Amino acid sequence: MSEETVPLSGQPKGLLQQMEELMAALNADLSALDADLQGAGASGRGVGEEEAG
């Protein structure tokens, strides 16, 4: 809440910190999604390769 009272010179630092936190959260979400897709896709790819082979 203190960020609301920060002077204009302090806002870019607050925004940068918010962006870093959002990027970290996005990275974690994408890593989890990637793991889920690889786990689900491994069996799906195996079936597809067997049919193509």
Side-chain angles (χ1 to χ4, degrees):
M1 288 188 183
S2 60
E3 292 180 2
E4 295 174 2
T5 59
V6 174
L8 290 175
S9 61
Q11 284 185 356
K13 183 177 181 182
L15 291 175
L16 178 60
Q17 184 177 359
Q18 288 179 357
M19 287 296 295
E20 289 176 348
E21 292 173 0
L22 288 171
M23 290 298 291
L26 178 62
N27 189 25
D29 288 344
L30 288 175
S31 296
L33 178 61
D34 183 45
D36 289 344
L37 290 176
Q38 286 184 2
S43 60
R45 288 181 192 153
V47 172
E49 290 175 358
E50 290 174 6
E51 291 175 0

